[in-house]
Amino acid sequence: MRRRSLLIAVPAGLVTLAACGDEDSGSSSAGDSATPEASATSAAPSPKIVDGPLPAITAGTKFDEKPTVAKGSGEPSKDLAVKTVIAGSGRTVAENDFVSANYLGQVWASAKVFDNSYDRGTPLVIQLAQGSIIDGWRYALAGKKTGSRVQFSVPPTWGYGEQGNEQAGIKGDDTLVFVVDVQDTFNAKSSAQGKKVPQDDAALPKVGTGTDGKAPSIEVPKDDAPKKLVAEYVLEGDGAEVGAEDSVLVQYKGVTWDGGKEFDSTYGRKQLTSFSLQQVVKGWAQGLTGKKVGSRVLIVIPPDLGYGDNPPQGSGIEKDSTLVFSVDILAKM
């Protein structure tokens, strides 16, 4: 399976969607390539941010082109050196946002590239939160705008400390150099931005189409619930299609068909959720597979593709319930 790089933390709210009876319902791993992850004991003080020194970008100088970066010259800064190489004009990135970005990382002293997303053909989607990513990324990208190319060097203090990262070939005294092309940023106020699709079937729930980041309304009809899975666009985006083995970043709201009672929502927690389609109930996996990033999707899940007679304890979901979800697919990971 093609995987992303730096570690993504999976928020706790999704435990109510963990697939019952599946063999693997744990958190997604960081990947099978030798890539850096946040240190488990990251507690460094805030760095001083300086302008340089930084090695030259000698090729691939345009936004979203794979860069070639020269070997570092002399001693690197002991502080966090950050330079906006290309200034974007999009939304401002804030700490705890999820960012979508292409990037390349290499060791200062050797110019050895230990990871890059350009060759994988899939941008990294990562939360700029402590414990999710090395601190150098958090401090270097906060305040930058989407559409920007940012180059920065990360001393061990805000990278992997004295232990380094053996998997990535990073020693404990290595300073790291990154070039990051910031494509997009997402937070708890993000919504799908697709085109409205008519909701003409009176036998199906109607989902609100607002894109202001607030929870959409879900109006459940008084008719009997459908016996088969329903997965329909409410807003149709123009992004890449979601594959059956992909991970996604979403906003969602779930209600029961009987009574329309809300039992789970990222909007209420004010926290986006990321998960693998292999780690959720079958109705979610089947309903989102093939749908496009940037879309809002209505999913109606019959009991045999949901929780059946074994709903999560404390969820408020009765046995053999049909579940109704509005899901905004913000990014594929």
Side-chain angles (χ1 to χ4, degrees), residues 194-199 205-209 232-236 295-299 325-326:
K195 293 182 179 180
K196 293 181 183 179
V197 175
Q199 301 180 67
K206 299 295 184 290
V207 178
T209 57
E232 302 286 347
Y233 284 120
V234 176
L235 303 173
E236 185 173 359
S295 299
R296 176 170 297 161
V297 182
L298 163 69
I299 307 178
F325 289 94
S326 169

Side-chain angles (χ1 to χ4, degrees), residues 1-196:
M1 182 190 347
R2 184 180 64 198
R3 301 298 296 168
R4 62 200 185 280
S5 60
L6 308 173
L7 177 64
I8 291 179
V10 180
L14 202 54
V15 297
T16 59
L17 288 175
C20 296
D22 285 357
E23 292 180 359
D24 180 9
S25 59
S27 299
S28 56
S29 65
D32 40 0
S33 58
T35 56
E37 299 177 0
S39 170
T41 58
S42 178
S46 299
K48 178 181 179 182
I49 297 179
V50 297
D51 294 333
L54 287 165
I57 300 173
T58 58
T61 58
K62 295 180 180 179
F63 181 82
D64 226 25
E65 284 186 339
K66 180 183 176 181
T68 301
V69 183
K71 184 172 134 178
S73 177
E75 291 296 317
S77 175
K78 300 298 183 183
D79 300 312
L80 186 67
V82 182
K83 177 182 180 182
T84 301
V85 180
I86 298 172
S89 58
R91 294 186 296 277
T92 301
V93 175
E95 187 168 1
N96 294 316
D97 280 4
F98 284 82
V99 295
S100 173
N102 273 316
Y103 73 99
L104 178 141
Q106 68 184 47
V107 176
W108 172 282
S110 65
K112 176 189 175 184
V113 174
F114 55 80
D115 192 25
N116 86 89
S117 65
Y118 302 92
D119 289 346
R120 290 192 291 272
T122 301
L124 169 72
V125 178
I126 185 74
Q127 189 176 21
L128 296 183
Q130 188 172 22
S132 294
I133 194 168
I134 58 174
D135 287 336
W137 273 64
R138 293 171 50 221
Y139 292 112
L141 296 184
K144 305 302 182 186
K145 292 184 179 294
T146 58
S148 295
R149 167 167 283 192
V150 184
Q151 183 183 18
F152 50 99
S153 67
V154 182
T157 301
W158 297 283
Y160 297 102
E162 295 178 355
Q163 75 272 19
N165 186 314
E166 183 178 358
Q167 181 187 17
I170 297 168
K171 300 191 298 293
D173 59 353
D174 279 337
T175 290
L176 312 178
V177 179
F178 291 96
V179 176
V180 179
D181 290 322
V182 184
Q183 297 184 338
D184 212 341
T185 186
F186 307 97
N187 56 38
K189 297 181 179 179
S190 296
S191 290
Q193 299 291 327
K195 293 182 179 180
K196 293 181 183 179

Side-chain angles (χ1 to χ4, degrees), residues 199-206 220-223 257:
Q199 301 180 67
D200 297 331
D201 191 339
L204 293 179
K206 299 295 184 290
V220 182
K222 295 181 179 179
D223 300 3
W257 183 281

Side-chain angles (χ1 to χ4, degrees), residues 219-256:
E219 298 177 7
V220 182
K222 295 181 179 179
D223 300 3
D224 290 339
K227 301 299 183 184
K228 295 184 178 181
L229 178 72
V230 174
E232 302 286 347
Y233 284 120
V234 176
L235 303 173
E236 185 173 359
D238 58 3
E241 289 189 359
V242 176
E245 295 185 346
D246 284 335
S247 294
V248 289
L249 178 69
V250 301
Q251 289 264 42
Y252 72 89
K253 174 181 174 180
V255 304
T256 56

